[in-house]
């Protein structure tokens, strides 16, 4: 069982308020991603759940029990650190076994569990090596092995993939997700990369300056962002925000339209503009269009259109996909 | 460097460096050579460099006539003992400042540094009188205590800088793995800190072995370490160069060897981490 | 670890060090101040009487103090100059691609690990002896008169010995600092057209400014207390020619048994050292933040 609940959790450093008050309900077995720009408090929140940071006020419940005064060693959680934090003087086996040793399990049982974890992660042939003899990807798997072997109530991941190269990151992303589904353990995963968030999460928590902007499934965040911040954070390239009045506005202060939800043509109806720059990927084309009426617009088209720098174009947004936001930035539904 | 340096450059630099090194090291070399000469040979002009009758008689004499071993033992006890005591006091202190720092930690560290800056001669009088009144003069315990206090700031500082280098998240990982503070210390921190602790021990032994102010002023014979023993050759009778050389070679050899292994630690320790 | 329990534990573990060092500083210092106001001679115990600031007056106006002060300045200044200048040069040399660099390094570092009494006596006898010393032999071989170092140029002799002992320290520190100079900076300078001397003046030397300062400060603090070398070679003489402040205080305390004056002198030494310590603490303090 691994349901986690945050109730009015608040964190201050002296007079500086880092997290004004967080409320969150994480269901047992779900994969929740904390995402947000640097300094938004996602790691702080994770560390408070882990017990590595004190909570200034509020409650953190794990399976219904408030753990705010419980030291990290006793919370029954596992953490995978960004730097992996492997014990350099112990072998891979020693690293993975450490938590079990601390729990006082008998030696044969420890060995059995370590071997099982190593098998899942393809580490069996490395069990006797020291961390310094391993590659980044292998070290990361050892860190994960150390976390899963204790069968914790929940896994906590602190940007574990950010030190890997791009190809490895994609591969590990899938492995982590697969592992979590297989083990059915709750997982909280912190990242600044929204692609990781979108592809891995059951639900995403978008954080901004310590506040939870929205908590929902990836598709919910994409299709129905709650405010300007979430709308601009999720989705790449970034949603186009238009403040100048158009017929799409209908009372809104700002409207948003994603680059992939516009059609482009050389003439006809729509906003007129000149292509400032074009990126041809073969599979997609990104057009950066300057329009006199509404500003700069980014457009994403599938395939190759034969349009380039200097061409004049007409842009038509899909009316069903226009997001409207009021003066305070909240979505108008 | 991906470029080849011109051979001429390497050769000139090598020759120059070896000359400089040889010149600097020469007095030590000369002393060792002299230790293998007879006294007459040692005092002879012109001096002989290699081709003379090599003898080990001085090494034998040094022990027979002047109880070298007694003083060597004193050096070992005083240097080793003061280091041990200093480590016992300093390790917890450095640990607490590195891992549980408070707002005052920085000030405390700098204050500790400043106590090392106090010139020994400034407190020579009271220390001498205290020692005299407490019957600590010429005792190993007395010297051990003074040297311990004298070097404590350096020991604390060195340990602090080494502890600070232990990545905080490895310690946090051990906490997540269920380790209490005690087990964290035993299973994770200490093994990772061993190289730093060893370096600090080495450096402190060297500094205590070579200390030549308190040892000269607070001991005469019973507790006199090698520094004092050698100093007695400053007012000798008769020919003594070869014996002095033998005694000196014996006195410095262990430290020279230790010192060669602790160069990096020396930089860190004596600059209080200002240069690394 | 920032829990209340952790904090209390931390304070407990720190207290022995702080208490010991505090006692080590305060008690002798307090006694020194006290004695410095007394007319106290160990040969006439029980005859002390209050002398106020007389001792300071006598100490500071005594010609021997002025001589000692001058000698101290000369000694410290000369050794600093020699060790820093040659330290830089040798560090630069050792930074070059050299075959057998490790051995050369060991040879250069060696003198620092020799105890001062050994260094001083080896130099005084084996090297500097006017008849049988090596220097004498070198001098006569090239037709010069050998120098009787400790009679004719005792201060110079001491300076040489102490410089030899401290040169490795300066060299090692500066070499370490040199090697931390980013190779890329030098390559950038080269791309910008700088040749060796310019690179040295504009890139290397500024980079060395801080370590040089550290070397100067630390050496000064230790050099002010040079004692053993003087003790085993000249005993401060001939006359007062090689007496520095440290030796002066020693001689007053343990040779003339004049505790009062020696204490006053000791305090003067402490004040001087504290001024220097202030600067060193500032530099180290800045480094702590880094």
């Amino acid at each position: 069982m691994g349901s986690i609940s945050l109730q009015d959790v608040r964190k201050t450093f002296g007079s500086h308020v880092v997290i004004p008050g967080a409320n969150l309900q994480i269901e047992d077995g779900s994969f929740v991603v904390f995402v947000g720009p640097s300094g938004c408090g996602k790691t702080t929140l994770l560390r408070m759940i882990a017990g590595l940071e004190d909570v200034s006020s509020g409650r953190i419940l794990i399976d219904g029990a408030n753990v705010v005064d419980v030291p990290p060693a006793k919370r029954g959680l596992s953490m995978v650190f960004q730097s992996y934090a492997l014990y350099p003087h112990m072998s891979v086996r020693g690293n993975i076994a450490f938590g079990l040793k601390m729990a006082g399990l008998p030696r044969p049982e420890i060995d059995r569990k370590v071997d099982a974890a190593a098998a899942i992660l393809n580490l069996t042939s490395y069990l006797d090596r020291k961390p310094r003899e391993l590659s980044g990807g292998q070290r990361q798997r050892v860190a994960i092995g150390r976390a899963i072997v204790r069968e914790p109530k929940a896994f906590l991941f602190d940007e574990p993939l950010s030190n890997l190269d791009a190809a490895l990151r994609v591969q590990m992303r899938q492995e982590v997700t697969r592992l979590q589904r297989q083990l059915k353990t709750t997982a909280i995963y912190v990242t600044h990369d929204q692609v990781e968030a979108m592809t891995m999460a059951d639900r995403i928590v978008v954080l901004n300056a310590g506040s939870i902007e929205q908590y929902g499934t990836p598709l919910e965040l994409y299709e129905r962002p709650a405010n300007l911040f979430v709308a601009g954070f999720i989705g790449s390239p970034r949603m186009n925000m238009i403040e100048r009045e158009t017929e799409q506005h209908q009372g809104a202060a700002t409207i948003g339209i994603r680059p992939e939800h516009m059609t482009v043509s050389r003439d006809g109806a729509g906003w007129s503009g000149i292509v400032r720059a074009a990126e041809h990927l073969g599979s997609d084309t990104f057009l950066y269009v300057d329009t006199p009426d509404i500003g700069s617009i980014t457009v994403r088209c599938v395939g190759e259109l034969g349009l380039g720098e200097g061409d004049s174009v007409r842009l038509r947004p899909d009316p069903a996909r226009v997001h409207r936001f009021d003066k305070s930035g909240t979505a108008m539904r | 460097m991906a470029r080849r340096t011109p051979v001429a450059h390497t050769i000139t630099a090598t020759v120059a460096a070896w000359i400089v090194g040889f010149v600097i090291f020469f007095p030590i070399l000369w002393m060792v050579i002299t230790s293998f000469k007879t006294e007459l040979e040692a005092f002879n002009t012109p001096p002989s460099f290699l081709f003379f009758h090599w003898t080990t008689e001085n090494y034998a004499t040094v022990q027979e006539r002047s109880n070298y071993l007694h003083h060597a033992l004193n050096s070992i006890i005083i240097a080793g003992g003061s280091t041990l005591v200093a480590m016992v006091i300093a390790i917890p202190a450095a640990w607490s400042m590195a891992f549980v720092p408070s707002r005052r930690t920085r000030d405390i560290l700098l204050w500790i540094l400043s106590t090392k800056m106090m010139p020994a001669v400034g407190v020579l009088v009271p220390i001498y009188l205290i020692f005299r009144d407490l019957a600590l003069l010429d005792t190993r315990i007395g010297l051990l205590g003074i040297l311990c206090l004298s070097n404590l700031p350096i020991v604390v500082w060195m340990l602090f800088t080494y502890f600070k280098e232990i990545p905080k998240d490895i310690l946090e990982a051990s906490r997540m793995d269920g380790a209490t503070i005690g087990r964290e210390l035993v299973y994770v921190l200490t093994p990772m800190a061993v190289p730093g602790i060893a370096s600090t021990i080495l450096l402190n032994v060297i500094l205590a072995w070579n200390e030549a102010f308190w040892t000269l002023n607070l001991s005469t014979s019973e507790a006199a370490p090698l520094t004092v023993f050698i100093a007695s050759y400053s007012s000798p009778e008769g020919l003594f160069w070869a014996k002095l050389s033998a005694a000196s070679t014996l006195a410095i050899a262990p430290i020279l060897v230790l010192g060669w292994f602790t160069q990096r630690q020396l930089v860190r320790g004596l600059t209080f981490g200002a240069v690394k | 670890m920032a829990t209340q329990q952790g904090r209390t534990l931390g304070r407990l573990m720190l207290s022995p060090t702080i208490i010991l060092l505090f006692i080590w500083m305060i008690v002798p210092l307090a006694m020194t101040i006290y004695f410095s106001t007394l007319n106290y001679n160990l040969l006439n115990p029980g005859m002390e009487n209050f002398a106020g600031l007389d001792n300071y007056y006598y100490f500071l106006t005594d010609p021997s103090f002025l001589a000692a002060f001058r000698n101290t300045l000369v000694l410290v200044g000369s050794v600093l100059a020699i060790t820093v200048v040659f330290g830089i040069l040798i560090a630069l040399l050792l930074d070059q691609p050299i075959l057998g660099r490790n051995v050369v390094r060991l040879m250069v570092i060696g003198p620092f690990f020799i105890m001062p009494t050994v260094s001083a006596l080896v130099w005084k006898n084996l090297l500097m002896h006017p008849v049988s010393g090596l220097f004498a032999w070198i001098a006569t071989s090239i037709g010069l008169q050998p120098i009787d170092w400790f009679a004719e140029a005792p201060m110079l002799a001491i300076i040489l010995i102490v410089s030899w002992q401290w040169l490795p320290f300066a060299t090692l520190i500066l070499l370490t600092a040199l090697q931390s100079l980013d190779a890329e900076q030098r390559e950038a300078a080269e791309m910008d057209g700088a040749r060796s001397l310019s690179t040295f003046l504009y890139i290397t030397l500024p980079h060395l400014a801080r370590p040089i300062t550290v070397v100067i400060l630390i050496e000064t603090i230790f050099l002010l207390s040079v004692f053993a070398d003087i003790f085993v070679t000249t005993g401060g003489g001939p006359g007062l020619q090689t007496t520095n402040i440290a030796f002066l205080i020693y001689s007053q305390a343990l040779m003339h048994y004049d505790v009062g004056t020696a204490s006053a002198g000791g305090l003067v030494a402490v004040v001087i050292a504290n001024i220097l310590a202030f600067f060193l603490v500032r530099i180290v303090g800045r480094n702590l933040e880094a």
Side-chain angles (χ1 to χ4, degrees):
Chain A
M1 290 301 299
S3 64
I4 299 182
S5 187
L6 272 63
Q7 296 176 353
D8 295 321
V9 170
R10 189 181 157 84
K11 176 79 182 162
T12 55
F13 281 117
S15 55
H16 176 51
V17 180
V18 179
I19 301 202
N23 285 286
L24 199 56
Q25 187 69 33
I26 296 175
E27 279 159 32
D28 176 30
S30 61
F31 194 116
V32 172
V33 175
F34 290 179
V35 77
S38 294
C40 68
K42 53 193 189 294
T43 300
T44 309
L45 213 52
L46 189 78
R47 287 168 64 88
M48 287 200 283
I49 296 174
L52 297 171
E53 299 275 355
D54 285 329
V55 171
S56 304
S57 71
R59 302 175 351 133
I60 296 179
L61 308 180
I62 299 182
D63 288 335
N66 186 5
V67 296
V68 156
D69 293 318
V70 178
K74 302 219 167 54
R75 292 195 188 189
L77 305 171
S78 280
M79 184 139 154
V80 179
F81 292 80
Q82 186 174 2
S83 66
Y84 320 137
L86 300 181
Y87 307 119
H89 55 290
M90 298 184 202
S91 65
V92 168
R93 179 182 288 280
N95 266 275
I96 299 181
F98 189 70
L100 301 175
K101 188 164 137 180
M102 290 298 109
L105 290 180
R107 192 60 203 269
E109 199 181 330
I110 294 183
D111 286 337
R112 195 173 41 82
K113 294 194 176 209
V114 169
D115 290 331
I120 297 179
L121 293 163
N122 284 327
L123 285 171
T124 317
S125 42
Y126 302 116
L127 278 172
D128 294 317
R129 295 217 199 145
K130 291 263 169 60
R132 63 172 174 273
E133 300 162 29
L134 302 175
S135 72
Q138 289 161 345
R139 284 184 209 174
Q140 216 246 12
R141 268 183 272 146
V142 176
I144 294 179
R146 186 171 63 179
I148 68 179
V149 82
R150 284 172 50 227
E151 290 164 49
K153 300 195 182 122
F155 295 128
L156 307 176
F157 293 93
D158 188 4
E159 305 205 45
L161 305 183
S162 53
N163 288 341
L164 302 175
D165 65 66
L168 202 49
R169 220 180 298 161
V170 173
Q171 183 194 333
M172 289 306 301
R173 223 165 64 195
Q174 293 171 7
E175 275 195 42
V176 172
T177 325
R178 185 181 52 82
L179 204 56
Q180 190 265 346
R181 299 243 169 85
Q182 185 184 331
L183 296 171
K184 299 194 185 51
T185 312
T186 312
I188 305 180
Y189 188 103
V190 163
T191 179
H192 61 272
D193 182 339
Q194 53 119 358
V195 172
E196 260 175 37
M198 296 289 282
T199 55
M200 298 173 84
D202 292 330
R203 298 185 86 187
I204 301 180
V205 176
V206 178
L207 284 146
N208 181 28
S211 303
I212 297 179
E213 299 283 353
Q214 190 170 354
Y215 177 39
T217 67
L219 241 38
E220 273 168 21
L221 263 53
Y222 179 83
E223 290 171 355
R224 287 182 295 282
N227 55 38
L228 273 174
F229 180 81
V230 178
F233 190 82
I234 302 285
S236 180
R238 202 169 175 278
M239 182 189 285
N240 294 295
M241 304 295 188
I242 304 166
E243 278 165 25
R244 283 185 244 173
E245 185 71 33
T246 66
E247 83 261 10
Q248 300 290 345
H249 269 72
Q250 298 164 16
T254 313
I255 59 166
I257 185 80
R258 295 197 184 275
E260 55 269 26
H261 293 154
M262 302 214 283
T263 43
V264 187
S265 54
R266 288 190 185 274
D267 40 40
W271 300 318
S272 76
I274 311 276
V275 175
R276 174 175 33 104
E279 289 170 351
H280 308 272
L281 276 71
S283 57
D284 305 282
T285 310
F286 292 101
L287 297 173
Y288 302 93
V289 181
D290 287 331
T291 68
D293 303 325
I294 52 176
S296 274
I297 302 284
T298 308
V299 185
R300 175 172 158 260
C301 319
V302 176
E304 181 51 50
L305 294 177
L307 288 169
E309 219 177 295
D311 290 338
S312 56
V313 289
R314 300 267 173 176
L315 309 172
R316 278 189 301 284
D318 180 349
R321 308 289 219 153
V322 170
H323 303 266
R324 293 181 183 84
F325 304 96
D326 63 24
K327 272 198 303 273
S328 66
T330 320
M332 296 162 55
R333 301 241 175 269
Chain B
M1 269 232 269
R3 279 176 295 175
R4 262 183 317 126
T5 27
V7 181
H9 180 107
T10 312
I11 293 187
T12 346
T14 305
V15 170
W18 275 83
I19 292 180
V20 166
F22 189 72
V23 166
I24 293 180
F25 193 72
F26 185 74
I28 303 174
L29 199 59
W30 187 235
M31 178 188 79
V32 175
I33 293 178
T34 308
S35 73
F36 290 108
K37 297 180 176 172
T38 62
E39 287 293 2
L40 281 170
E41 186 67 49
F43 205 71
N44 212 8
T45 33
S48 35
F49 289 87
L50 276 180
F51 300 109
F52 54 88
H53 174 61
W54 290 63
T55 166
T56 56
E57 67 187 29
N58 301 300
Y59 287 92
T61 323
V62 157
Q63 172 49 29
E64 270 166 34
R65 301 248 211 92
S66 42
N67 207 0
Y68 167 84
L69 278 178
H70 169 76
H71 297 294
L73 194 65
N74 285 341
S75 276
I76 294 176
I77 292 176
I78 293 171
S82 70
T83 302
L84 199 65
V85 175
M87 294 299 284
V88 166
I89 301 174
I91 289 183
W95 181 93
S96 98
M97 289 194 287
F99 298 116
V100 201
S102 69
R103 256 168 305 131
R104 296 230 214 89
T105 298
R106 183 175 172 274
D107 295 327
I108 294 178
L109 273 166
L110 294 176
W111 173 77
I112 292 179
L113 164 64
S114 73
T115 63
K116 182 64 188 159
M117 301 300 130
M118 179 179 71
V121 78
V123 295
L124 172 62
V125 167
I127 295 289
Y128 182 81
L129 290 175
I130 293 176
F131 265 51
R132 184 195 61 174
D133 294 338
L134 293 178
L136 283 174
L137 279 178
D138 208 21
T139 60
R140 288 193 280 240
I141 265 284
L143 276 179
L144 201 152
I146 285 286
L147 290 195
C148 173
L149 285 173
S150 181
N151 286 329
L152 191 59
I154 294 188
V155 173
V156 172
W157 262 85
M158 271 190 81
L159 287 172
F160 172 76
T161 63
Y162 281 118
F163 284 177
K164 257 258 170 282
E165 283 173 3
I166 295 179
K168 191 177 71 144
D169 52 5
I170 296 187
L171 298 175
E172 287 180 345
S174 73
R175 258 172 265 159
M176 295 299 297
D177 269 345
T180 53
I181 292 188
R183 298 169 116 193
E184 179 188 317
L185 257 159
V186 170
Y187 288 106
V188 182
L189 179 65
T190 307
M192 290 182 69
V194 159
I197 292 179
S199 304
T200 309
I201 290 179
L202 275 180
L203 183 67
N204 199 57
V205 165
I206 292 174
L207 290 175
W209 185 279
N210 288 345
E211 203 282 336
F213 179 79
W214 293 115
T215 49
L216 287 175
N217 284 316
L218 296 176
S219 69
T220 46
S221 55
E222 249 329 289
L226 288 170
T227 45
V228 178
F229 172 61
I230 299 289
S232 69
Y233 280 93
S234 60
S235 45
E237 296 143 16
L239 294 179
F240 65 99
W241 286 12
K243 282 192 278 299
L244 167 66
S245 302
S248 300
T249 307
L250 287 175
I252 63 158
I255 295 304
L256 203 52
V257 170
L258 271 184
W260 281 339
F261 290 115
T262 60
Q263 293 175 49
R264 248 177 294 131
Q265 294 77 1
L266 181 77
V267 173
R268 180 196 286 253
L270 285 182
T271 60
F272 293 92
V275 176
K276 267 212 224 123
Chain C
M1 201 55 110
T3 57
Q4 195 43 46
Q5 185 199 36
R7 264 192 280 264
T8 332
L9 189 65
R11 236 173 278 151
L12 212 66
M13 293 176 32
L14 194 49
S15 37
T17 302
I18 298 196
I19 294 176
L20 277 172
L21 285 178
F22 192 72
I23 297 179
W24 167 238
M25 284 226 68
I26 293 299
V27 169
L29 212 54
M31 288 175 69
T32 301
I33 297 178
Y34 172 62
F35 285 139
S36 68
T37 62
L38 292 182
N39 218 335
Y40 182 175
N41 194 303
L42 285 178
L43 293 175
N44 299 327
M47 294 270 290
E48 310 90 57
N49 55 304
F50 188 71
L53 296 173
D54 280 359
N55 285 324
Y56 288 95
Y57 179 72
Y58 287 131
F59 185 81
L60 291 171
T61 55
D62 195 315
S64 56
F65 172 71
L66 289 169
F69 190 75
R70 199 186 41 232
N71 287 333
T72 308
L73 282 179
V74 168
L75 177 61
V76 174
S78 315
V79 174
L80 277 181
I82 295 176
T83 53
V84 171
V85 168
F86 284 98
I88 296 179
L89 292 176
I90 299 180
L92 285 171
L93 180 58
L94 290 185
D95 196 34
Q96 307 298 316
I98 299 171
L99 302 170
R101 173 196 301 213
N102 284 328
V103 180
V104 177
R105 237 176 109 120
L106 297 182
M107 291 200 285
V108 169
I109 303 295
F112 191 75
F113 297 108
I114 313 290
M115 56 178 82
T117 44
V118 166
S119 311
L121 286 174
V122 166
W123 274 77
K124 175 179 181 184
N125 294 296
L126 277 62
L127 297 177
M128 287 175 161
H129 193 271
V131 175
S132 305
L134 201 63
F135 290 177
W137 171 73
I138 295 178
T140 45
S141 307
I142 55 178
L144 292 173
Q145 261 292 73
I147 312 174
D148 185 353
W149 289 89
F150 289 96
E152 300 168 35
M155 196 45 158
L156 185 57
I158 301 277
I159 290 176
L160 268 175
I161 298 175
V162 177
S163 303
W164 181 74
Q165 288 174 289
W166 281 90
L167 184 59
F169 174 76
T171 307
L172 191 55
I173 306 277
L174 294 173
L175 182 60
T176 306
L178 257 183
Q179 288 174 338
S180 75
L181 179 59
D182 211 3
E184 285 184 349
Q185 269 195 46
R186 278 189 257 207
E187 287 170 355
E190 214 179 320
M191 297 291 293
D192 276 342
R195 268 162 314 159
S196 304
L197 188 59
S198 307
T199 315
F200 176 69
L201 285 175
Y202 294 110
I203 310 251
T204 314
L205 218 46
H207 176 83
L208 286 180
R210 180 118 93 76
I212 291 178
T213 316
V214 172
V215 167
I216 291 180
L217 281 173
I218 297 201
E219 275 194 24
T220 307
I221 286 167
F222 284 103
L223 289 175
L224 281 177
S225 321
V226 167
F227 175 77
D229 309 79
I230 301 175
F231 182 77
V232 300
T233 53
T234 61
L240 287 168
Q241 281 183 53
T242 54
T243 303
N244 63 356
I245 295 187
F247 198 81
L248 183 67
I249 297 171
Y250 158 79
S251 74
Q252 282 185 329
L254 298 180
M255 276 163 47
H256 302 300
Y257 298 107
D258 186 349
V259 168
T261 319
S263 300
L267 224 50
V268 169
V270 169
V271 168
I272 297 178
N274 266 317
I275 298 177
L276 283 160
F278 173 70
F279 290 107
L280 179 65
V281 165
R282 271 236 311 249
I283 288 201
V284 176
R286 239 181 284 145
N287 198 65
L288 261 184
E289 264 118 50

